Amino acid sequence: SQQGEEDPQALSIQEGENATMNCSYKTSINNLQWYRQNSGRGLVHLILIRSNEREKHSGRLRVTLDTSKKSSSLLITASRAADTASYFCATPLTGGGNKLTFGTGTQLKVEL
Amino acid sequence: GAVVSQHPSRVICKSGTSVKIECRSLDFQATTMFWYRQFPKQSLMLMATSNEGSKATYEQGVEKDKFLINHASLTLSTLTVTSAHPEDSSFYICSAGSGGSLRETQYFGPGTRLLVL
């Protein structure tokens, strides 16, 4: 299976704290993406980082990519209750055509 | 921009019946759409790629005669679950590529929850 793995599976923090999620993948990639999914809803694209980039920021999000270790991390700073969701990394599926394979996901719960 | 809708959002059907799920790109044209299924607390699994004007391509292990896909226009793809059984109960999500400079990203519909009794 080409599916990546995410760590931790579940994370519970207090509002205002930072949340870090990690993703490991198996094959060489040219980009990695992070998506968010609220319970029972579709996915929302958060950020894309290309293989020649090591770090990328978007608002309170910071993504890193280490292609030598085949891993990526997503950091959410100053978390809010509204950040409660599942977060998935996604990498291109071998065979092309813009197909994606998703990691196992991290369920984040931010408590007031 | 880049809004994808799905209909219905929720459907309950009897075992043996067929269910059609529609996926529409509302403000852009999508030559390619993707269909996923997701079991509770699990990740998305790609089922098939829907290609406008041609046959869909299915991932390994997905029965093409069970999950019929039609992509008749640049804004509509449909997934029909034929002769549904309880094990087909799942959350079905479609997505479409955005094109442009972020062509690798996908825009997702809100999903359809199917319950087969």
Side-chain angles (χ1 to χ4, degrees):
Chain A
S1 169
Q2 199 177 327
Q3 186 178 45
E5 292 189 6
E6 290 183 58
D7 162 57
Q9 284 188 325
L11 179 61
S12 183
I13 59 174
Q14 297 293 314
E15 198 171 48
E17 295 180 336
N18 297 340
T20 300
M21 291 158 263
N22 303 294
C23 164
S24 61
Y25 56 92
K26 298 178 182 178
T27 62
S28 295
I29 58 172
N30 55 24
N31 72 82
L32 182 143
Q33 303 177 52
W34 285 89
Y35 287 82
R36 164 199 169 119
Q37 182 181 34
N38 285 63
S39 180
R41 306 293 294 275
L43 277 70
V44 175
H45 178 257
L46 295 176
I47 197 165
L48 178 150
I49 185 167
R50 300 195 183 279
S51 57
N52 61 353
E53 298 175 303
R54 292 294 169 260
E55 188 171 311
K56 200 164 183 179
H57 296 255
S58 177
R60 293 184 295 112
L61 306 180
R62 172 178 167 252
V63 168
T64 64
L65 179 63
D66 187 334
T67 53
S68 66
K69 295 181 179 178
K70 291 187 168 59
S71 67
S72 174
S73 68
L74 170 67
L75 168 68
I76 303 175
T77 59
S79 65
R80 305 167 182 168
D83 294 328
T84 295
S86 292
Y87 293 82
F88 296 91
C89 63
T91 54
L93 194 61
T94 303
N98 289 342
K99 294 192 287 188
L100 296 176
T101 181
F102 286 82
T104 50
T106 294
Q107 293 186 41
L108 173 66
K109 184 176 182 180
V110 181
E111 300 186 72
L112 294 170
Chain B
V3 177
V4 176
S5 70
Q6 270 183 253
H7 177 80
S9 59
R10 187 183 296 265
V11 57
I12 301 173
C13 69
K14 293 181 179 179
S15 185
T17 61
S18 295
V19 175
K20 180 186 285 188
I21 302 170
E22 293 185 347
C23 177
R24 294 181 185 273
S25 56
L26 297 184
D27 50 0
F28 66 104
Q29 294 182 332
T31 55
T32 302
M33 291 183 174
F34 302 94
W35 286 96
Y36 299 83
R37 68 187 295 182
Q38 183 181 33
F39 291 107
K41 297 190 185 300
Q42 293 189 24
S43 187
L44 280 72
M45 296 303 294
L46 179 65
M47 298 174 65
T49 303
S50 174
N51 305 296
E52 188 270 334
S54 64
K55 290 182 179 180
T57 54
Y58 291 81
E59 296 303 306
Q60 192 172 13
V62 178
E63 300 175 57
K64 62 179 181 180
D65 295 329
K66 171 86 175 162
F67 299 99
L68 300 178
I69 291 173
N70 183 275
H71 196 150
S73 77
L74 288 171
T75 59
L76 174 64
S77 174
T78 61
L79 168 69
T80 300
V81 183
T82 62
S83 187
H85 288 96
E87 58 265 30
D88 298 323
S89 298
S90 188
F91 192 53
Y92 292 86
I93 310 176
C94 71
S95 71
S98 61
S101 61
L102 284 179
R103 61 189 180 279
E104 300 94 339
T105 66
Q106 294 181 15
Y107 290 91
F108 285 80
T112 296
R113 188 162 300 283
L114 170 63
L115 176 60
V116 184
L117 301 176

